[in-house]
Amino acid sequence: MCVTVALVVTLISPPAAVQLRPQALSEKIALSQARQPAAAPAGPKTLIVYDNPPNSEFSKLGMVFGIMLKNLMGHFDSNADLLPVQDYVAGTMQAYDATFYLGSYYGNPLPPAFLSDVSTSRKTVVWFKHNLSQLAWNPVYEFPARSGFKFSGMRGMNAAPTAANPEPGFFDTIGYKGKSFVKHYVFNTATGIINADPDIGVITVLDKARATVIVPVSNPRTGETVPYITRSGNFWYVADMPFSFTGPRDRYLVLCDLLHDMLGVHHAESHQAMVRLEDVGAKVSVQAMKTLTDYLHGKKIPFSIAVIPRYEDPLGVFNNGMAQTIPLSEATHLKTALNYALPRGGEIVMHGYTHQYSNLRNPHTGVSGHDYEFWNIVANSPVAEDSTAWALGRLNAGLAELASNGYTPVAWETPHYHASALASKAVAQVFDTTYQRVVYFTADKPDFKPAPNKDFAMGQIFPYVINKDYYGQRILPESLGNIQYDIGIIDSTSNAMNTWQDIVTNAAYAKTVRDGFASFFFHPFLLEPAARAPGYQDFQSMIDGITALGYTWVAPSQIP
């Protein structure tokens, strides 16, 4: 089973505290082990400068945010450079079309050379959240007169939350294109921990001829509204860090859309939709697959199928205690379903090799489709064999299994969207295209133990195509999630709820991105009687709801 992996960062300022939590042409894409070198990016040249304070537990937090922004630059054919702010040298930003500063660490001292260049540069500068006071409150830089706005300081929670008043409120509602993007907030009354990023930088426009409020943010409890994104000529200020606590209705989408304007790359309005049938392996229900195939074919909707080439149940969980392996050559149900679907608009996405790891419950059953393959989720570490060579071996074994049975995948999807850095880099060597969300790390061999300079990981959703990410992958987006029911009575790992209405609402938010996709996945087993769920009816309602929003349905191979 594939579940949406969402890793989120909890920020309690200053400094921030971090927690992770869990939340899968016109011609077929040619696959080869020897890829041709990619052409140099033709987009704007960008520099991403981030906080990297020495010997702090949060030294690398800015780096992971920088990686996320660098990934988004891949949508604009910009291979951005990452630079710790303390390494900035005078004049550096003049070699770039745009510079982004990620102020993730409150009070981090910024080099005078950087501040001076920001104050005088005629190139685009985008400043996020913290440390604007070092520029705005230093009279040397004449910031208010130059920018037309003043910086008042940081604002967080209206009051400290308590058991009696767990939601005192903060500036949490960002208004954009008729939608309210509400920032994530959860308060644990038992621990006193706030799972949120409530702090914003508050500015006041002094001269409307110089400064324009592009996006506002409001505080529903106090009734206040202040600027969230402000532009003054070539200088932009974003009041918080939109890479923390991201989701399908988060203000992260606002930034994804406005990057077009910040970079001066104006993609045409375009809204495409994709549907993927998930975790299709040896024991798939042929009838469920035929039902879904016939429905989509009748609607003239192309679709993809996330295929697990080899089935493993090493602990015999579903085979009376006896280990079971089913290679694709013996997977009669799977081949019957694929042979029916492919001529009717289906395309294969290779979804791991076995979608499980060794004989480990990782973390559920050890059975294909249930567990992680390229990450030890139990220990939250790379698997023991982790290396580029090991990952390539599994990728090529899966491709060989498909090829020997007459099948060619158009893309790759990582099981549970979670692989090590080395495994993701291996994927980029074999597959021209991936179709997924991705987890990123601040080191190839990360060390998450609390200590100075510890590593961080972050999962990232993409609303549009990323031509090249941090690991070299081309990524087609899955941006909406999937229908989920509480079916714990038959599967103890499945007790979350996510309705078809939730998915359609997510699609409505995705349309605020000018070239945003509505892309989701669906498990065929939800049509089986044992699921005790209205899976087929809800699937149809979801398709109809997304279609009514004006999206055009496409197959992965149709996306240039």
Side-chain angles (χ1 to χ4, degrees), residues 148-150 203-213 227 230:
F149 67 88
K150 69 175 182 179
I203 69 102
T204 301
V205 172
L206 303 173
D207 183 352
K208 292 183 179 180
R210 290 182 175 274
T212 302
V213 177
T230 306

Side-chain angles (χ1 to χ4, degrees), residues 505-543:
T505 300
N506 291 348
Y509 274 78
K511 279 198 76 177
T512 60
V513 180
R514 65 199 69 183
D515 49 359
F517 277 70
S519 179
F520 69 96
F521 62 89
F522 182 83
H523 289 105
F525 70 73
L526 293 177
L527 269 62
E528 298 178 40
R532 300 181 184 180
Y536 186 45
Q537 296 90 328
D538 287 355
F539 180 79
Q540 296 175 82
S541 297
M542 183 167 51
I543 292 288

Side-chain angles (χ1 to χ4, degrees), residues 73 99 107 192 350 352 367 373 509 516 528:
M73 293 297 112
T99 296
M350 184 169 142
V367 177
E373 181 173 355
Y509 274 78
E528 298 178 40

Side-chain angles (χ1 to χ4, degrees), residues 224-265:
E224 298 170 278
T225 297
V226 298
Y228 179 70
I229 297 179
T230 306
R231 181 179 186 180
S232 174
N234 64 302
F235 184 86
W236 299 69
Y237 180 61
V238 182
D240 88 332
M241 187 59 64
F243 298 108
S244 65
F245 290 100
T246 61
R249 302 177 203 169
D250 184 69
R251 81 287 194 205
Y252 165 76
L253 293 181
V254 177
L255 172 66
C256 289
D257 187 51
L258 285 176
L259 282 174
H260 293 86
D261 302 317
M262 293 172 175
L263 294 169
V265 178

Side-chain angles (χ1 to χ4, degrees), residues 130-150:
H130 285 309
N131 305 319
L132 185 62
S133 59
Q134 296 179 44
L135 180 71
W137 294 351
N138 189 329
V140 170
Y141 303 118
E142 302 179 330
F143 183 81
R146 289 174 178 269
S147 67
F149 67 88
K150 69 175 182 179

Side-chain angles (χ1 to χ4, degrees), residues 127-428:
W127 190 298
F128 291 84
K129 197 174 181 175
H130 285 309
N131 305 319
L132 185 62
S133 59
Q134 296 179 44
L135 180 71
W137 294 351
N138 189 329
V140 170
Y141 303 118
E142 302 179 330
F143 183 81
R146 289 174 178 269
S147 67
F149 67 88
K150 69 175 182 179
F151 176 69
S152 301
M154 305 300 297
R155 284 274 300 272
M157 301 296 299
N158 296 331
T162 64
N165 183 24
E167 298 184 19
F170 61 100
F171 284 93
D172 68 352
T173 305
I174 291 89
Y176 188 65
K177 293 187 176 180
K179 298 290 184 187
S180 293
F181 295 81
V182 180
K183 294 173 65 173
H184 176 86
Y185 175 84
V186 173
F187 174 61
N188 188 320
T189 55
T191 64
I193 293 176
I194 300 172
N195 290 282
D197 181 7
D199 295 343
I200 66 163
V202 178
I203 69 102
T204 301
V205 172
L206 303 173
D207 183 352
K208 292 183 179 180
R210 290 182 175 274
T212 302
V213 177
I214 306 298
V215 181
V217 58
S218 63
N219 188 327
R221 291 298 181 94
T222 65
E224 298 170 278
T225 297
V226 298
Y228 179 70
I229 297 179
T230 306
R231 181 179 186 180
S232 174
N234 64 302
F235 184 86
W236 299 69
Y237 180 61
V238 182
D240 88 332
M241 187 59 64
F243 298 108
S244 65
F245 290 100
T246 61
R249 302 177 203 169
D250 184 69
R251 81 287 194 205
Y252 165 76
L253 293 181
V254 177
L255 172 66
C256 289
D257 187 51
L258 285 176
L259 282 174
H260 293 86
D261 302 317
M262 293 172 175
L263 294 169
V265 178
H266 301 293
H267 294 152
E269 190 85 14
S270 172
H271 298 291
Q272 298 176 306
M274 294 193 296
V275 53
R276 187 178 70 223
L277 305 183
E278 196 77 345
D279 293 329
V280 179
K283 295 194 174 184
V284 70
S285 164
V286 173
Q287 184 55 55
M289 284 294 293
K290 284 188 173 181
T291 298
L292 293 168
T293 295
D294 286 341
Y295 172 74
L296 293 169
H297 183 59
K299 291 272 191 177
K300 295 183 172 56
I301 294 176
F303 59 99
S304 61
I305 306 164
V307 175
I308 305 167
R310 188 177 185 88
Y311 177 88
E312 296 283 358
D313 181 0
L315 304 176
V317 173
F318 299 117
N319 194 43
N320 299 315
M322 300 292 291
Q324 184 179 29
T325 296
I326 306 176
L328 185 53
S329 60
E330 299 174 12
T332 304
H333 287 189
L334 176 55
K335 291 196 291 184
T336 298
L338 292 179
N339 293 341
Y340 187 81
L342 296 183
R344 293 171 173 81
E347 297 182 343
I348 292 175
V349 173
M350 184 169 142
H351 191 24
Y353 174 37
T354 64
H355 201 317
Q356 55 82 236
Y357 170 66
S358 187
N359 60 355
L360 175 71
R361 292 180 182 268
N362 190 32
H364 303 302
T365 63
V367 177
S368 291
H370 284 203
D371 284 8
Y372 294 72
E373 181 173 355
F374 294 92
W375 185 258
N376 185 334
I377 197 65
V378 176
N380 192 28
S381 69
V383 300
E385 305 92 333
D386 184 54
S387 67
T388 301
W390 176 80
L392 286 172
R394 297 190 72 81
L395 297 172
N396 288 321
L399 284 172
E401 193 128 10
L402 288 170
S404 65
N405 287 275
Y407 302 117
T408 302
V410 301
W412 163 266
E413 179 199 351
T414 296
H416 291 309
Y417 298 145
H418 200 146
S420 71
L422 294 178
S424 291
K425 291 176 182 179
V427 168

